[in-house]
Amino acid sequence: MNQKIKLPDTVPLCHEMIQSLVMKMEFYKGQYQLAVHQKYGQSSEQVKYLESEIQGKIEDFNNNNKKVQLDLFTVIHGLALEQQILEEQFIKENAEAALAKKELDEAPQKPEKELKERKKEYSTLLTNVEHLPKEICHHGQDLKNCPGCNSEDLTACPVEITKELELVPAKLIIKEHHTHKFICNACHKFERGEKPQLPIPKCMAGPNLLSYILWSRFDFFMPYYRLNREFKSYGVDISLANLCNWTNAVAEDIFSHLHLAIKEDIRKGEVVRCDETTFKEQAPKKCKTKYIWAFSSNATKNVYFEYSNRSRETPLDFFTGISKIFLLTDKYSGYDAVCRKHELWRAYCWQHAGRKFWEILKSSSDPTALPSIRKIYIEIAAILAHDKEIRKGPREEILDKRNKIVKPLIEALFEKLEVIYKSNPLLPKNIRLAIEYLLNSPEEFKTFLLHPDLEPTNNTSEQIIRFFTLARKNFMFAGSDRGGNTTAIMCTVIASAEAHGLNVQTYLNHVITELPTAPLSEIHKFLPQNCPQFHSKNYTQGSPKL
């Protein structure tokens, strides 16, 4: 790190050297500021090393290269003048972008009335308890004599009623099934009573216990050792091996059929959204990186997860037998072969494009010095805001309003990006890549104008994939490929049930109890949208209203 830098012999080479050093310095500063901004965000676990590395490089640049800066002071001065001329030319050619900061500062804020209404909504949540079972307790009902004078002449007054929200602790019981057997003396036939089928053959675990384990594990993301401690507090020691084996067995034998039914339900849509995220799998020496794929569509609220690697085989298998539909994703190249093979119309996410310009502004020491980038970011936000308001209206009017309002804004934005990109060959790398992200795929970014159910962003998939990112923070990794598949199956069922507002635990209990004895031709009856009797608002005293 303390090695001296050999200086070039000619002035042009010194220009190139100084320019590269200055660009490196600005890059490291921008990356450091972005890392500090993300330190308390979703990527906080991954930026500590990046922050220390960049800070070290900045200190090394400042401490060990002072001699270079001193020896080439005159060259730096000339370079500064040249850079100033280029900046003035850049700002002059894009003068209209100088109004961006003023537009952002003058943007209408949310009315204060809306904020008050939202606070009021939060304050009234606890009053919505009328659907809960009630236990009436009388106090003083047997009072016959006055405690003060012992008189029996008492006149009843209106009863004072106060409400108290209470919790009834859970308990474990042993349910003994006594199956009675008979022999008919007339026909000599053997008869016996019908016993409910066990969810797992030769296993003591009943449907309610299994549904509670699945609910805790894949809805609240509770590790097995915490479930073991909870059951110990009830007086039963259920080993970690039993908890794991029961979960895998129920997922593979019962819920795998529902998992495939949800997949087919999503494949019926004209618009399919897809996203993926990493998931670690335990291995002998080092954890392997696997992927969870999330699929959803406009045809249903259901969500489908699949555990696999990041190869194109997963989406290829999902879209087998489907063609001429819209696929909304990010710009991951793995989907390209899928779209070509199945003739899918690809749509890109505008939120990803806007995020690149936002990161440029965030990493800059002075965002006001980048008026054109700020203007682009504001225009992308305006496109998304207009489209959001349009989608609130009637579905049959969405395409017409998009062509009248949103399409001209997109055309103007792409024209402006072309001008900036072609007229400034010395653009910084991060700005050039952000502009190329849009310019290289104009048709894919305009695809959402062709279908009313197609959104300009893939935020729905991002929110769906958060279901798994929360699980990943608690599970850390899957113990095996079988465990990863179990996680995908159960998260598919639970996330779909939550999307339809069902009481998850009772819905799982219903599937575990009824699905094993039902024919596969009736599997559609167990889809979350076909079980409205399990909606959380329909529950009183722990049983659904039929």
Side-chain angles (χ1 to χ4, degrees):
M1 294 179 65
N2 297 324
Q3 184 178 2
K4 294 183 178 180
I5 301 176
K6 185 178 179 180
L7 302 179
D9 297 331
T10 61
V11 174
L13 292 178
C14 289
H15 275 261
E16 294 181 6
M17 183 178 183
I18 294 296
Q19 186 176 8
S20 64
L21 291 174
V22 171
M23 291 180 66
K24 281 185 178 180
M25 182 68 176
E26 293 300 322
F27 173 76
Y28 287 135
K29 281 184 178 181
Q31 292 297 310
Y32 173 69
Q33 292 174 0
L34 185 61
V36 170
H37 171 75
Q38 295 175 341
K39 185 174 181 180
Y40 301 100
Q42 296 180 356
S43 304
S44 59
E45 298 177 359
Q46 304 176 11
V47 300
K48 293 182 180 179
Y49 172 76
L50 177 64
E51 178 183 350
S52 60
E53 180 184 12
I54 295 175
Q55 182 66 30
K57 288 183 178 180
I58 291 176
E59 293 177 358
D60 178 61
F61 184 89
N62 289 332
N63 296 333
N64 300 321
N65 295 311
K66 290 182 178 179
K67 188 175 183 302
V68 176
Q69 299 177 19
L70 182 62
D71 293 343
L72 302 177
F73 174 79
T74 56
V75 180
I76 294 175
H77 181 67
L79 179 64
L81 292 176
E82 182 180 351
Q83 184 177 6
Q84 183 179 359
I85 294 173
L86 290 174
E87 289 181 354
E88 290 177 355
Q89 180 183 0
F90 178 76
I91 294 174
K92 183 178 180 180
E93 292 176 349
N94 302 277
E96 70 277 4
L99 300 175
K101 182 176 182 301
K102 183 178 179 181
E103 293 181 6
L104 183 64
D105 295 337
E106 296 178 355
Q109 303 294 327
K110 287 187 176 180
E112 188 176 348
K113 183 178 180 181
E114 292 186 8
L115 298 177
K116 290 183 178 180
E117 290 178 355
R118 188 176 182 184
K119 291 180 180 179
K120 184 178 180 181
E121 180 182 352
Y122 279 113
S123 65
T124 58
L125 285 176
L126 287 179
T127 62
N128 187 21
V129 294
E130 298 301 325
H131 63 286
L132 298 178
K134 294 181 181 179
E135 180 180 336
I136 300 177
C137 302
H138 294 277
H139 307 283
Q141 186 180 18
D142 299 332
L143 188 64
K144 297 182 179 179
N145 300 326
C146 176
C149 62
N150 204 28
S151 173
E152 296 182 359
D153 188 12
L154 300 179
T155 301
C157 300
V159 179
E160 178 182 340
I161 300 176
T162 57
K163 295 182 179 180
E164 181 182 19
L165 188 63
E166 191 56 274
L167 174 68
V168 179
K171 63 179 180 179
L172 290 172
I173 62 172
I174 294 293
K175 195 183 273 189
E176 288 189 357
H177 296 274
H178 294 242
T179 304
H180 297 274
K181 307 174 183 178
F182 303 94
I183 295 179
C184 179
N185 294 325
C187 62
H188 304 288
K189 288 185 179 180
F190 179 79
E191 299 291 343
R192 59 182 296 168
E194 292 186 5
K195 181 182 68 173
Q197 180 178 335
L198 294 174
I200 305 175
K202 300 179 182 180
C203 177
M204 287 185 63
N208 277 299
L209 176 59
L210 291 174
S211 64
Y212 179 78
I213 293 173
L214 296 173
W215 179 51
S216 302
R217 172 71 173 167
F218 299 108
D219 197 2
F220 294 97
F221 315 116
M222 190 178 295
Y224 286 132
Y225 77 90
R226 293 184 188 171
L227 281 169
N228 173 262
R229 290 176 57 185
E230 180 181 355
F231 289 127
K232 280 183 179 179
S233 67
Y234 299 150
V236 179
D237 186 5
I238 304 178
S239 66
L240 302 181
N242 278 339
L243 291 172
C244 183
N245 291 333
W246 293 352
T247 302
N248 289 331
V250 174
E252 293 170 351
D253 297 342
I254 300 177
F255 287 98
S256 60
H257 305 291
L258 189 59
H259 182 244
L260 294 177
I262 291 176
K263 175 182 177 180
E264 293 300 321
D265 190 50
I266 292 175
R267 281 161 46 91
K268 298 176 182 177
E270 297 178 354
V271 176
V272 175
R273 299 176 288 263
C274 185
D275 200 4
E276 73 284 336
T277 187
T278 57
F279 200 73
K280 299 292 184 181
E281 181 182 309
Q282 192 177 18
K285 294 184 179 180
K286 183 181 179 182
C287 284
K288 298 186 293 185
T289 299
K290 290 292 192 72
Y291 279 81
I292 290 292
W293 296 75
F295 298 90
S296 61
S297 76
N298 65 325
T300 176
K301 295 180 180 179
N302 290 333
V303 180
Y304 176 75
F305 294 111
E306 186 165 343
Y307 181 74
S308 179
N309 51 31
R310 210 189 184 194
S311 70
R312 65 188 69 173
E313 298 303 323
T314 300
L316 279 172
D317 175 71
F318 182 87
F319 291 104
T320 300
I322 301 178
S323 63
K324 305 295 184 181
I325 67 170
F326 294 91
L327 175 61
L328 176 59
T329 66
D330 52 21
K331 291 190 70 173
Y332 171 48
S333 58
Y335 298 106
D336 295 340
V338 181
C339 294
R340 288 194 299 268
K341 181 176 180 179
H342 298 290
E343 299 181 5
L344 307 180
W345 296 301
R346 185 87 175 271
Y348 286 159
C349 175
W350 277 90
Q351 194 70 46
H352 283 76
R355 194 178 300 160
K356 294 185 178 297
F357 293 97
W358 177 85
E359 289 178 352
I360 294 172
L361 295 173
K362 219 49 175 168
S363 62
S364 175
S365 58
D366 185 13
T368 59
L370 299 171
S372 59
I373 301 303
R374 192 179 183 90
K375 179 72 173 178
I376 292 171
Y377 179 71
I378 292 175
E379 290 182 1
I380 293 176
I383 291 172
L384 299 180
H386 282 298
D387 191 80
K388 183 178 180 181
E389 290 298 322
I390 291 173
R391 283 184 280 112
K392 292 180 181 179
R395 185 177 182 274
E396 57 274 9
E397 299 178 3
I398 291 179
L399 293 182
D400 292 338
K401 291 185 176 180
R402 277 178 172 175
N403 289 326
K404 292 179 181 178
I405 301 175
V406 178
K407 188 175 181 179
L409 296 177
I410 295 177
E411 297 291 347
L413 175 62
F414 275 99
E415 291 177 3
K416 185 174 297 184
L417 291 173
E418 286 280 358
V419 172
I420 295 175
Y421 188 77
K422 293 180 178 180
S423 61
N424 296 278
L426 298 179
L427 282 174
K429 181 179 179 180
N430 56 347
I431 297 179
R432 187 174 71 254
L433 292 177
I435 295 177
E436 289 176 351
Y437 189 86
L438 281 166
L439 291 182
N440 290 344
S441 309
E443 296 303 321
E444 285 79 0
F445 280 103
K446 299 176 185 178
T447 305
F448 78 97
L449 300 172
L450 305 177
H451 197 284
D453 293 336
L454 195 58
E455 300 175 358
T457 71
N458 203 22
N459 288 348
T460 303
S461 292
E462 299 276 353
Q463 294 166 2
I464 290 171
I465 213 70
R466 281 194 64 197
F467 189 92
F468 240 99
T469 58
L470 292 175
R472 186 175 55 195
K473 289 182 179 293
N474 289 272
F475 299 160
M476 295 182 66
F477 52 79
S480 63
D481 191 67
R482 184 188 183 193
N485 289 325
T486 296
T487 304
I489 291 172
M490 294 314 308
C491 286
T492 294
V493 176
I494 291 176
S496 300
E498 286 186 344
H500 289 274
L502 303 187
N503 185 302
V504 175
Q505 185 182 358
T506 312
Y507 171 69
L508 295 177
N509 182 48
H510 168 70
V511 175
I512 293 173
T513 305
E514 303 295 336
L515 186 56
T517 58
L520 286 178
S521 59
E522 297 181 359
I523 189 70
H524 64 279
K525 295 181 179 179
F526 295 89
L527 292 173
Q529 66 267 30
N530 296 332
C531 297
Q533 69 271 26
F534 297 104
H535 197 280
S536 56
K537 293 183 179 180
N538 294 340
Y539 276 83
T540 56
Q541 300 179 358
S543 60
K545 285 183 179 179
L546 301 177

